[in-house]
């Protein structure tokens, strides 16, 4: 199985972590968004990462890839079967992909991707506003949502945990630091998940 992308991408990292927790081996083919690699474009016609290939089956989008991996190897179960827990897991993945990544993505793109990979200046004002105005709202929600167990759903590791930590890990790689005094539960949760081998 091949995964096309770069591990700094929170979406690529989420798939890699999910596969590792499942015991599924993926061959990461380092690929930038928009690359002209034929295998990559067959899986991702719009040039977005991650993309995935398993034999003659190819698809893109982290959620689609995870859905495939979960069906191929149902155990260990990282997407709960109990209806309410399953719905909450999908909610947290969506929260991570849209709300949390909406803020983190502006920071990551403008402070790192644009200057390092695209050779253009990022918009510091956009990154600063996201860090000041958007990210704290998402972190405040997490601070309220994280249960005493330290896992978002069913008091165990699930896709919810992996998805939520992934955008925070990406911006931490470029120097952002979570304010543990303001968000102690979120800091403990993030540290715990990042401490896993995946």
């Amino acid at each position: 199985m091949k995964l096309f992308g770069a591990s700094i991408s929170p979406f690529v990292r989420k798939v890699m972590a999910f596969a590792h927790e499942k015991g599924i081996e993926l061959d990461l083919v380092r690929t930038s968004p928009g690359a002209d690699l034929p295998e990559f474009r067959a899986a991702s016609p719009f040039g977005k990462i991650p993309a995935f290939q398993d034999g003659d089956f190819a698809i893109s989008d982290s959620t689609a890839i995870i859905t495939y991996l979960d069906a191929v190897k149902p155990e260990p179960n990282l997407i709960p079967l109990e209806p309410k827990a399953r719905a909450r897991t999908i909610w947290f993945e969506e929260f991570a992909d849209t709300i949390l990544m909406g803020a983190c993505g502006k920071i990551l793109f403008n402070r790192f991707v644009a200057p390092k990979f695209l050779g253009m200046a990022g918009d510091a004002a956009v990154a600063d506003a996201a860090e000041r105005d958007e990210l704290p709202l998402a972190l405040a929600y997490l601070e309220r949502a994280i249960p005493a167990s330290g896992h978002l759903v069913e008091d165990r590791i699930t896709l919810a945990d992996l998805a939520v930590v992934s955008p925070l890990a990406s911006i931490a790689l470029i120097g952002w630091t979570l304010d543990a005094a303001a968000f102690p539960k979120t800091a403990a949760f993030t540290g715990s998940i990042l401490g896993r081998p995946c």
Side-chain angles (χ1 to χ4, degrees):
M1 294 182 187
K2 294 181 182 177
L3 183 68
F4 299 89
S7 59
I8 194 159
S9 160
F11 302 109
V12 173
R13 181 182 302 103
K14 176 178 64 171
V15 173
M16 292 172 65
F18 186 86
H20 188 277
E21 291 283 348
K22 285 276 198 181
I24 298 171
E25 190 172 326
L26 297 178
D27 178 20
L28 179 64
V29 180
R30 285 180 173 67
T31 312
S32 299
D36 286 329
L37 182 65
E39 284 182 306
F40 168 59
R41 284 306 184 125
S44 182
F46 297 101
K48 295 192 172 198
I49 59 172
F52 173 82
Q53 181 183 31
D54 183 13
D56 63 356
F57 175 72
I59 197 159
S60 62
D61 182 75
S62 60
T63 301
I65 296 165
I66 283 170
T67 300
Y68 177 79
L69 296 175
D70 192 56
V72 167
K73 190 169 189 263
E75 296 296 330
N77 182 298
L78 299 179
I79 302 174
L81 298 177
E82 191 278 322
K84 292 176 184 175
R86 188 175 187 87
R88 286 183 53 75
T89 299
I90 299 307
W91 152 247
F92 278 114
E93 186 193 22
E94 180 62 18
F95 162 79
D97 284 0
T98 57
I99 296 169
L100 190 55
M101 192 54 199
C104 293
K106 291 172 187 171
I107 297 166
L108 186 64
F109 180 81
N110 288 293
R111 292 186 183 159
F112 185 75
V113 175
K116 299 287 186 190
F117 291 105
L118 303 178
M120 56 188 257
D123 189 330
V126 169
D128 293 347
E131 184 174 5
R132 181 188 64 242
D133 303 328
E134 295 177 46
L135 189 54
L137 295 175
L139 295 175
Y141 166 73
L142 275 178
E143 193 69 18
R144 295 188 307 271
I146 297 168
S149 71
H151 290 290
L152 291 168
V153 180
E154 287 193 342
D155 299 336
R156 65 180 181 91
I157 189 75
T158 66
L159 172 60
D161 303 311
L162 302 175
V164 166
V165 168
S166 193
L168 299 176
S170 287
I171 61 172
L173 289 173
I174 63 164
W176 175 83
T177 305
L178 178 61
D179 183 348
F183 305 106
K185 285 170 47 180
T186 304
F189 163 75
T190 302
S192 172
I193 303 305
L194 289 176
R196 296 181 68 84
C198 72

